[in-house]
Amino acid sequence: MFYKKYINKLTALLILGMFCVQTQVSAETEVRLIEIYPSDSEAFTQGFELSPDTKNLILATGLYGKSSIGLLDLETGEYSIKANLSEEYFGEGITIVDDFIWQLTWKEGKAFKRDLASFEIVDEQSYQGEGWGIAYDAEADVIWMSDGTSVLQQRNPQDFTKMAELEVTYNGQPVVNLNELEFANDLIYANIWYSDKIIAINPSNGEIEYVYDFGELLQRVDNEIADELVDQKDVLNGIAHIEGNQFYITGKLYPYVLEVELNR
Ligand code: DDQ
Ligand code: CA
């Protein structure tokens, strides 16, 4: 029958197509668990950073009336709040620049600049749109900021003025909901809201170079810990670079922090 050869051609095309997609997305990555630490399951984590002297793990939380910034002790899982935001602000990402911290707010269009040692507000700047994640590239001396769209904003780390925009894409398609950020290894690492994946973005063209899938690991850890706090946890959100390919990872209302290696 005449259509059979078309079916064969179609099948061949389909297989070829599948192969192309496969080869495009198959950059091999590995998430390797090093250690599990306790955390505060009441912390609605929105920002996560290791201080430059690696002595303090700084955490910032969200929700109206509950937004704060403070230190997380990995030995005990205790989160000690150093400053609270007033209740009209929903706290978002944080990043350290020299001896200060920028802290974003969700829909309030305000970035607070805090002293790294005292956490006191020393300046505040306004921006258009929402604030989600933020990360500092010390080498290029620029800030990267996410706002829930697929476009990252590059900002001046001193006065917060907007310098440029970068559309983030995967195989040419824009990727939205970029959340907590971290700059390391010449890449912008990002959580994606309501995803168990962390992506690594090339800052020169916005292309996602690596995808780290935490789904299986989180399932394994949750099964192991198996208490009700694990069931109450929200979305993966919190990337703090240690050194090389080592990171601390956590999420909103997570009772734990994972130390992992993100290998390519
Ligand atoms: N954002 O962080 C992704 C930008 C916004 C998160 C908003 C989550 C609202 C949750 C409200 C829960 C009330 C218990
Ligand atoms: Ca971070």
Side-chain angles (χ1 to χ4, degrees):
M1 285 193 230
F2 82 95
Y3 60 80
K4 269 202 174 152
K5 67 180 180 201
Y6 289 102
I7 289 182
N8 281 340
K9 264 189 190 161
L10 268 174
T11 314
L13 264 173
L14 236 145
I15 290 169
L16 195 72
M18 276 160 62
F19 181 74
C20 287
V21 170
Q22 276 293 313
T23 47
Q24 254 183 311
V25 300
S26 69
E28 284 295 318
T29 61
E30 180 206 36
V31 180
R32 203 163 83 82
L33 179 65
I34 311 286
E35 192 71 71
I36 308 173
Y37 300 97
S39 186
D40 182 344
S41 63
E42 293 194 5
F44 195 83
T45 302
Q46 298 284 57
F48 202 41
E49 288 266 298
L50 189 62
S51 67
D53 62 8
T54 71
K55 290 201 174 101
N56 292 309
L57 200 47
I58 302 174
L59 191 147
T61 69
L63 300 175
Y64 293 105
K66 282 179 135 186
S67 294
S68 62
I69 185 166
L71 303 179
L72 180 68
D73 183 344
L74 286 185
E75 298 292 308
T76 61
E78 198 187 320
Y79 170 53
S80 45
I81 294 174
K82 298 293 177 188
N84 286 296
L85 288 179
S86 56
E87 62 185 23
E88 67 267 34
Y89 294 109
F90 191 118
E92 288 284 340
I94 53 166
T95 197
I96 300 168
V97 178
D98 307 327
D99 55 356
F100 59 87
I101 305 169
W102 281 110
Q103 179 178 27
L104 299 179
T105 54
W106 183 18
K107 293 184 173 177
E108 293 70 50
K110 196 156 275 184
F112 295 106
K113 190 184 199 176
R114 295 179 182 276
D115 179 80
L116 178 59
S118 68
F119 291 91
E120 262 165 45
I121 295 172
V122 292
D123 188 20
E124 52 182 70
Q125 293 296 330
S126 297
Y127 52 83
Q128 297 291 316
E130 299 190 6
W132 286 41
I134 185 166
Y136 178 53
D137 171 359
E139 207 169 301
D141 194 31
V142 293
I143 272 176
W144 290 103
M145 171 177 163
S146 64
D147 63 1
T149 70
S150 60
V151 177
L152 294 177
Q153 302 167 28
Q154 195 188 76
R155 287 183 177 266
N156 180 306
Q158 301 299 326
D159 62 15
F160 219 70
T161 50
K162 188 157 134 184
M163 293 152 62
E165 290 189 341
L166 179 73
E167 165 117 280
V168 175
T169 58
Y170 189 57
N171 290 338
Q173 297 302 310
V175 176
V176 297
N177 286 330
L178 306 167
N179 208 358
E180 218 274 324
L181 302 179
E182 188 76 9
F183 195 93
N185 310 320
D186 298 322
L187 294 164
I188 306 164
Y189 291 81
N191 284 114
I192 302 175
W193 197 33
Y194 276 99
S195 152
D196 285 336
K197 294 185 176 82
I198 287 177
I199 55 170
I201 305 157
N202 181 338
S204 61
N205 57 18
E207 285 170 19
I208 294 177
E209 301 229 324
Y210 306 101
V211 177
Y212 297 96
D213 192 343
F214 277 70
E216 220 172 279
L217 174 62
L218 294 175
Q219 200 57 254
R220 201 148 47 86
V221 172
D222 289 359
N223 287 342
E224 217 166 279
I225 296 176
D227 77 23
E228 74 264 22
L229 294 178
V230 159
D231 300 332
Q232 285 162 27
K233 72 196 210 316
D234 197 75
V235 69
L236 197 66
N237 197 43
I239 313 168
H241 185 228
I242 305 168
E243 58 171 1
N245 49 6
Q246 284 165 268
F247 296 83
Y248 292 124
I249 302 296
T250 193
K252 304 184 189 196
L253 309 179
Y254 263 48
Y256 56 79
V257 168
L258 303 180
E259 182 182 341
V260 295
E261 250 178 45
L262 299 185
N263 297 317
R264 2 216 212 234

